Amino acid sequence: MKKNKFQMKREQTYAQLIESGVKLLCEKGYALTSIEDITTAVGYTKGAFYVHFKNKEEFFFHLLDHRHGVREEWPEITLGEGGEMLDSLESVLQRRMTIFLDYLSRSPEWQMVYIEFYLMKRDHDEVRLRYKQYYEKFIAEFVRLIDSFKEKGWVSLEIDTLKAARQIYQLLDGAIIHFNLYGEPLDKEALITTMLKILK
């Protein structure tokens, strides 16, 4: 069904607020970023914000959903940059990590905002539940990835898929936190080498 001008404008406003929110939260943190900061940066009033979101907390959850949606739209991991089929575990991990690190480089501070929000809101049952759900989505992504490796015969069927998925998540999570706290570069080759050890 074709969208009318009102729907298109509404979607455009939503997208601009989301983009502004990610940028400002990464620059200033959750606590120091106001709704007015977010709307002013893209030329809207706070009224435009409240058309889409009940409050700043709900807005943050929309940001989390948005980032998860972006990952779901990543190119098929069995295809190379030129559309060629990848034929080894190492080549698929190279491709996946290239996409991941490129995405991360656009907002590397996001992980710290994610932690800050949780620390501020961890007494709220809904927040703890939402974070658990996001964690499970991450793990499910890695489980699907590892299962696809098993189907291709690249990873032993004896590997505990769930355990390996959690180890890979912990590896990436730790590397991102070290990057933010200590400025340690994200070494793609070192990360891939460690993943290969987990999967073999």
Side-chain angles (χ1 to χ4, degrees):
M1 181 182 290
K2 188 174 180 181
K3 297 174 183 176
N4 60 39
K5 290 182 180 180
F6 174 78
Q7 290 170 315
M8 292 172 65
K9 175 64 177 173
R10 185 182 173 93
E11 288 179 6
Q12 179 186 26
T13 302
Y14 177 89
Q16 289 176 327
L17 290 170
I18 290 290
E19 184 179 344
S20 173
V22 171
K23 183 175 183 294
L24 287 170
L25 265 64
C26 285
E27 288 175 1
K28 301 172 64 174
Y30 180 83
L32 295 179
T33 301
S34 68
I35 291 172
E36 188 171 5
D37 291 334
I38 295 165
T39 56
T40 301
V42 284
Y44 292 118
T45 64
K46 286 200 288 186
F49 179 94
Y50 288 114
V51 166
H52 297 276
F53 315 104
K54 183 170 61 176
N55 51 41
K56 194 168 78 164
E57 182 176 301
E58 183 182 85
F59 175 71
F60 188 78
F61 287 133
H62 277 257
L63 294 183
L64 294 180
D65 289 336
H66 169 74
R67 292 178 71 83
H68 180 74
V70 168
R71 291 197 314 279
E72 289 184 329
E73 293 172 6
W74 283 352
E76 171 60 45
I77 56 119
T78 56
L79 299 179
E81 194 169 346
E84 73 281 8
M85 289 296 295
L86 301 174
D87 58 3
S88 70
L89 177 60
E90 290 83 353
S91 63
V92 171
L93 288 177
Q94 283 279 352
R95 176 73 171 137
R96 184 75 175 197
M97 288 305 296
T98 297
I99 294 170
F100 174 73
L101 293 178
D102 175 65
Y103 176 64
L104 187 66
S105 69
R106 297 177 214 162
S107 52
E109 306 86 358
W110 177 258
Q111 189 74 1
M112 305 311 289
V113 178
Y114 186 77
I115 293 169
E116 177 196 5
F117 180 84
Y118 181 79
L119 291 174
M120 291 177 63
K121 306 286 185 174
R122 65 180 180 266
D123 292 336
H124 299 193
D125 290 341
E126 182 188 1
V127 170
R128 290 199 307 276
L129 175 62
R130 290 278 194 115
Y131 267 59
K132 179 67 173 175
Q133 290 170 341
Y134 288 120
Y135 170 72
E136 289 171 352
K137 285 180 182 179
F138 278 118
I139 297 303
E141 288 174 25
F142 288 122
V143 164
R144 286 193 298 272
L145 186 63
I146 296 168
D147 282 341
S148 73
F149 294 158
K150 286 185 174 183
E151 289 172 10
K152 293 181 180 299
W154 295 344
V155 171
S156 169
L157 295 176
E158 295 178 5
I159 290 284
D160 184 329
T161 302
L162 183 58
K163 180 179 178 182
R166 287 175 174 158
Q167 288 174 333
I168 291 172
Y169 176 86
Q170 291 163 6
L171 169 70
L172 295 176
D173 214 30
I176 296 167
I177 290 171
H178 275 238
F179 171 75
N180 277 285
L181 290 180
Y182 313 120
E184 290 186 12
L186 290 163
D187 186 333
K188 181 173 75 172
E189 297 307 321
L191 289 170
I192 291 171
T193 297
T194 306
M195 287 182 199
L196 289 170
K197 289 179 180 177
I198 291 170
L199 296 171
K200 291 186 175 178

